[in-house]
């Protein structure tokens, strides 16, 4: 049986010692009074809910899966999920980071983010039910009309209703311009929607009283392609005069998918048969509105993977302490036992440290992105808000793709630590690996994230956003470059920064001749940028650890050891990645299509 302990000490380190969120919040009027004790208390309570209520449901939920009843077209989530959701709602968790104007508690996104890491470690499949509601909330808050906001937001905020995002259709996944679902205007201002959506997470379930679907569809006279897509709110039950769930709407679940992982989350085929919906935002600008939800969800997927990385690491470390096989190469370490614990073997340590470094680097990075979102939303200075928004735009595809790729590596290494036992369901490791795989696919595949980073976020603005982040790296290197204790962190960071600048220019030049060069370089390029960003956070964390190591607190010794492992064993991957990114499109495009 796996176990999970919320990593509260490391969260507190990241929030208070690394990011100094108290100083940051003091500049953001809604959060100005928030002190460290309150933050720690919320995390503590959140950790108890995650570990105590959700974690015990994770393995049984995976085994049981969701139940679809074709007669009623309803879905029942695994045993215990509904009760856990009721507890979640009763405790007020859904409203944590929501606007008080709609019943929210108005706490920072940074705090909610840390909370969601723990939920995902405990039970990713369950967490997807409320997780999508938050994206729906963000989208309606940004683009809904005041009556739509008054109707839907309080219900989503308190968790009585949940949300979904309905984009994908059988013939249309990445290329949303192909979507066919029709929305026909009605005299009363509503629309009738008809079409089929597939792979809709939490499209139907028994956790909430109503489900608010945000659906992309095409109006009859809309232009072809992505410029003709509009966004509609389509509730499962139409709100009655009092704003409560009323008559059943014509949007039904036709089936649920049998899939590799996240068995406890219902992945639904949704049929719209003249369902009633209302336009959200401007007609034909639906993708623009949906991007609010998609961006929130992309960071959310990064957090799913961070959660899995952490829990997989914890269990592998525990196993490595207890499992005895062979003797240490440098002489017996546990003479009282017939063999040494496998933790003595260098390669077992490599696997563990890989997972741990990706967890600690990911936590620092994602917390920073969440803090930028708080700054973007609440800083009084518009120039600061804009700078934060630009950085979030740059870092979002990295949060999604780098963290999800890392989780796949980390969960696989953690499973490997168990040897054959890792492959056996009882230990829980194979579930983490299966669950982690989807995160690289949905919310835009990692290839699409890489293209977004390289083409849109870097090349399209001549590297301005990248330079903006580079300014932080340079400032850190200038401030601490003369400290010999930090040379081992700052030298590789600065070196990689130079190489990244060079690589970006090279790809930019080649792309002027051949756009396939962008597609050929994008995936290794994103990983190089991801490592550069992580190296920056590890250097900052190492600086703190070096300064506080003398306190005798083992936490700092461990932090420094992980940072050293990161720069010496994981960062060098960038040399290969840069060569791959430089190799260009030639070898990829040379073979005739017929030869595949
Ligand atoms: C469990 C699960 C849950 C999901 N939840 C939701 C949900 O809640 N709502 C929702 O709307 N959708 C959801 N999806 C759908 C998911 O977002 C899509 O599967 C994903 O976006 C990819 O689309 P696709 O499967 O059609 O693959 P395709 O778009 O057909 O892509 C196939 C391959 O081609 C690559 N590719 C495609 N276009 C390009 C390009 N231009 N350049 C380079 N490579 C390209 C892709 O990267 C991929 O490797 C879910 C899917 C699953 C499996």
């Amino acid at each position: 049986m796996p176990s999970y302990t919320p990593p509260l000490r490391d969260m507190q380190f990241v929030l208070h010692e690394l990011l100094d969120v108290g100083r940051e919040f003091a500049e953001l009027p809604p959060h100005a009074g928030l002190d460290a004790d309150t933050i720690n208390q919320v995390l503590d309570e959140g950790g108890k809910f995650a570990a105590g209520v959700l974690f015990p449901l994770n393995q049984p939920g995976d085994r049981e899966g969701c139940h679809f009843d074709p007669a009623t077209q309803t879905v029942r989530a695994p045993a215990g999920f509904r009760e856990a959701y009721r507890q979640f709602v009763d405790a007020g968790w859904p409203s944590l980071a929501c606007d008080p104007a709609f019943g929210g508690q108005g706490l920072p996104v940074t705090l909610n983010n840390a909370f969601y890491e723990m939920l995902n470690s405990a039970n990713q499949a369950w967490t997807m039910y409320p997780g999508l509601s938050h994206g729906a909330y963000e989208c309606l808050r940004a683009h809904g009309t005041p009556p739509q906001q008054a109707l839907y937001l309080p219900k989503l905020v308190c968790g009585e209703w949940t949300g979904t995002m309905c984009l994908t259709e059988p013939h249309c996944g990445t290329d949303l311009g192909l979507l066919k679902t029709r929305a026909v205007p009605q005299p009363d201002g509503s629309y009738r929607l008809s079409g089929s959506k597939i792979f809709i997470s939490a499209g139907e379930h028994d956790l909430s009283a109503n489900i608010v679907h945000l659906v992309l569809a095409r109006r009859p006279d809309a232009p072809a392609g992505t410029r003709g897509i509009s966004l509609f709110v389509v509730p499962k039950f139409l709100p009655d005069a009092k704003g409560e769930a009323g008559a059943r709407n014509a949007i039904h679940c036709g089936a649920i998918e049998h899939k590799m992982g996240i068995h406890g989350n219902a992945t639904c085929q949704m049929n719209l048969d003249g369902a009633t919906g209302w336009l959200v935002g401007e007609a034909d600008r639906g993708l623009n509105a949906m991007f609010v939800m998609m961006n929130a969800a992309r960071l959310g997927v990064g957090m799913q993977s961070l959660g899995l990385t952490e829990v997989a690491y914890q269990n592998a470390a525990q196993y490595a302490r207890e499992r005895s096989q062979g003797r240490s190469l440098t002489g017996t370490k546990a003479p009282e036992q017939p063999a040494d614990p496998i933790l003595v073997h260098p390669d077992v340590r490599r696997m563990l440290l890989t997972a741990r470094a990706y967890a600690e680097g990911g936590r620092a990075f994602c917390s920073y992105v969440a803090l930028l979102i708080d700054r973007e939303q609440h800083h009084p200075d518009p120039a600061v808000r804009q700078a934060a928004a630009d950085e979030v735009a740059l870092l979002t595809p990295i949060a999604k793709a780098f963290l999800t790729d890392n989780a796949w590596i980390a969960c696989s290494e953690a499973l490997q630590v168990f040897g054959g036992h890792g492959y056996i369901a009882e230990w829980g490791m194979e579930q983490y690996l299966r669950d982690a795989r989807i995160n690289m696919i949905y919310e835009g595949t990692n290839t699409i994230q890489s293209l977004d980073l390289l083409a849109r976020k870097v090349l399209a603005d001549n590297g301005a956003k990248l330079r903006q982040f580079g300014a932080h790296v340079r400032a850190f290197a200038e401030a601490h470059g003369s400290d010999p204790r930090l040379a081992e962190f700052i030298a590789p960071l600065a070196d990689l920064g130079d190489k990244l600048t060079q690589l970006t220019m090279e790809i930019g030049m080649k792309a002027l001749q051949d756009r396939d060069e962008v597609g050929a370089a994008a995936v290794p390029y994103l990983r190089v940028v991801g490592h550069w960003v992580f190296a920056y956070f590890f250097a900052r964390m190492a600086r703190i650890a070096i300064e506080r190591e003398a306190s005798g607190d083992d936490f700092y010794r461990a932090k420094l050891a992980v940072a050293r492992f990161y720069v010496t064993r994981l960062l060098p991957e960038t040399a290969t990645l840069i060569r791959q990114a430089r190799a260009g499109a030639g070898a990829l495009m040379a073979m005739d299509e017929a030869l595949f």
Side-chain angles (χ1 to χ4, degrees), residues 2 53-63 81 120-126 264 308 311 428 431-432 435:
V53 178
L54 295 187
F55 186 72
L57 301 175
N58 192 44
Q59 265 194 313
D62 177 62
R63 289 197 194 115
F81 273 40
N120 282 309
S121 281
N123 196 329
Q124 173 172 332
W126 183 93
L308 291 175
V311 71
Q431 183 190 347
Y432 296 138
D435 286 356

Side-chain angles (χ1 to χ4, degrees), residues 128 132 164-176 197-203 257 259 261-262 265-268 290 438 441-448 451 519:
M128 287 172 69
L132 284 149
T164 75
M165 52 192 291
C166 300
L167 289 70
T168 308
E169 298 179 6
H171 57 283
C172 138
T174 302
D175 187 355
L176 291 169
K197 296 284 177 182
I198 60 164
F199 299 164
I200 304 308
S201 297
E257 305 296 345
K259 54 193 193 289
I262 52 165
N265 193 269
T267 305
C268 303
M290 193 54 134
I438 186 57
I441 298 172
Y442 58 21
E443 281 318 320
T445 64
N446 286 0
T447 302
I448 298 305
L451 287 166

Side-chain angles (χ1 to χ4, degrees), residues 49 53-54 57 80-90 94 126 129-130 133 155-156 158-162 205 207-209:
F49 176 77
V53 178
L54 295 187
L57 301 175
F81 273 40
R82 188 178 152 88
E83 169 57 21
Y85 187 75
R86 195 189 58 71
Q87 289 186 43
F88 179 75
V89 170
D90 287 352
W126 183 93
Y129 290 102
S133 301
K155 297 288 193 192
L156 288 168
C158 73
E160 193 179 330
W161 297 358
T162 53
H205 56 80
L207 270 56
S208 60

